[in-house]
Amino acid sequence: MSSPRKAILVTGAAAGIGRATARLFASRGWFVGLYDVNAAGAEALRGELGSAAVAGALDVTDAAAWSRVLAAFAAASGGRLDVLFNCAGIAAVGHFEDIPLARHHAVTDVNFKGVVNGCHLALPLLRATPGARVINMASASAIYGSPAFAGYCATKFAVRGLTEALNIEWARHGIRVMDLLPLFVDTPMVRQFETPPRSMDVLGLRLTADDVARTVWRAAHWRLWPRVHWFVGVQAWLTWVAQKLTPVWFTRLTTRLITGY
């Protein structure tokens, strides 16, 4: 029998946006699944949240691990999955040819293959939960390709395309599929850049993980038109509007000015 308590499964829950989102949903009465390749970090957060959460290790590139996690989560949540938040992600910054090929492959596997795995394998549980939603972590980098982030941008464009397609396709299951498109967010992933890209200096770190978490909350409760893309902050929304309304040459010029390429 399904539990009346709503449930969200968060990947990449041990730090940054995933952790902030898990804390927010738990504080507002949701049951939260905390999964991360950093199992110790996920377990530490579970200790903080107590009975509101369950935690475990998850390499999102591993389909078998996804199946085990989903079975354990369903048993703990009473058989429901109201929101799947595909948040896990990694980045690589620099000239495309200077980044090792293995790192490009890792970025692709985590950022896109991980989302494909989650969506595909969680579908039975999502279908069994009325009004279920999938929220995918994309990026403003999916609006127009950004130099120094070529591989990362490619994965986020892929996530955006998958989201748009599944939002239409899964309407027949009663499942809404959405994505988030923030600019730079002050998280450990961004802070780890040895040499911050010029675009980050120009645009600044104006968003926090909590800002994104609050947008996840709004998306999870949205009841009006079938909104697909959620822009976190004014900068991301303006970037989207400018890209839609201005000529391609202008978008390319402004991108080069911002990035210094």
Side-chain angles (χ1 to χ4, degrees):
M1 181 179 294
S2 179
S3 168
R5 188 181 195 183
K6 288 191 173 184
I8 179 173
L9 188 157
V10 181
T11 67
I17 294 168
R19 181 171 61 188
T21 300
R23 283 173 170 161
L24 176 62
F25 276 72
S27 72
R28 296 183 178 180
W30 283 53
F31 184 77
V32 183
L34 312 168
Y35 298 100
D36 200 293
V37 70
N38 176 5
E43 184 58 36
L45 183 57
R46 189 207 62 77
E48 173 190 325
L49 301 182
S51 61
V54 63
L58 175 62
D59 175 353
V60 295
T61 70
D62 184 343
W66 263 108
S67 295
R68 291 192 297 270
V69 158
L70 286 163
F73 178 79
S77 70
R80 67 185 301 157
L81 176 56
D82 295 271
V83 175
L84 169 63
F85 182 30
N86 285 308
C87 183
I90 60 176
V93 61
H95 298 309
F96 180 80
E97 65 274 17
D98 292 340
I99 298 170
L101 185 58
R103 183 61 177 178
H104 281 301
H105 288 173
V107 170
T108 301
D109 286 348
V110 173
N111 293 3
F112 183 58
K113 181 180 176 181
V115 174
V116 172
N117 284 343
C119 291
H120 197 280
L121 295 168
L123 180 57
L125 195 52
L126 292 164
R127 290 181 65 177
T129 309
R133 294 163 186 229
V134 177
I135 301 175
N136 296 323
M137 196 68 222
S139 167
S141 296
I143 297 173
Y144 193 87
S146 177
F149 290 93
Y152 179 81
C153 287
T155 65
K156 296 307 182 178
F157 269 93
V159 168
R160 174 183 153 192
L162 179 70
T163 299
E164 290 173 350
L166 289 184
N167 183 62
I168 296 172
E169 188 174 332
W170 283 2
R172 73 188 195 280
H173 300 313
I175 300 169
R176 290 192 181 189
V177 184
M178 298 168 276
D179 60 27
L180 307 178
L181 293 93
L183 275 165
F184 294 108
V185 183
D186 190 359
T187 63
M189 186 185 80
V190 172
R191 288 291 184 184
Q192 74 180 356
F193 297 152
E194 292 182 8
T195 304
R198 171 185 163 89
S199 55
M200 193 166 80
D201 290 334
V202 172
L203 297 171
L205 276 177
R206 300 175 184 273
L207 298 174
T208 67
D210 289 331
D211 292 326
V212 183
R214 286 189 289 269
T215 304
V216 178
W217 178 264
R218 295 205 313 274
H221 293 83
W222 186 253
R223 299 295 179 192
L224 301 178
W225 66 90
R227 184 174 178 181
V228 181
H229 303 302
W230 290 77
F231 304 98
V232 188
V234 174
Q235 280 184 313
W237 180 78
L238 289 175
T239 300
W240 174 268
V241 171
Q243 196 274 334
K244 293 293 184 182
L245 297 181
T246 58
V248 173
W249 67 264
F250 182 80
T251 301
R252 176 180 167 83
L253 174 61
T254 55
T255 299
R256 295 192 67 177
L257 289 173
I258 290 171
T259 61
Y261 274 79

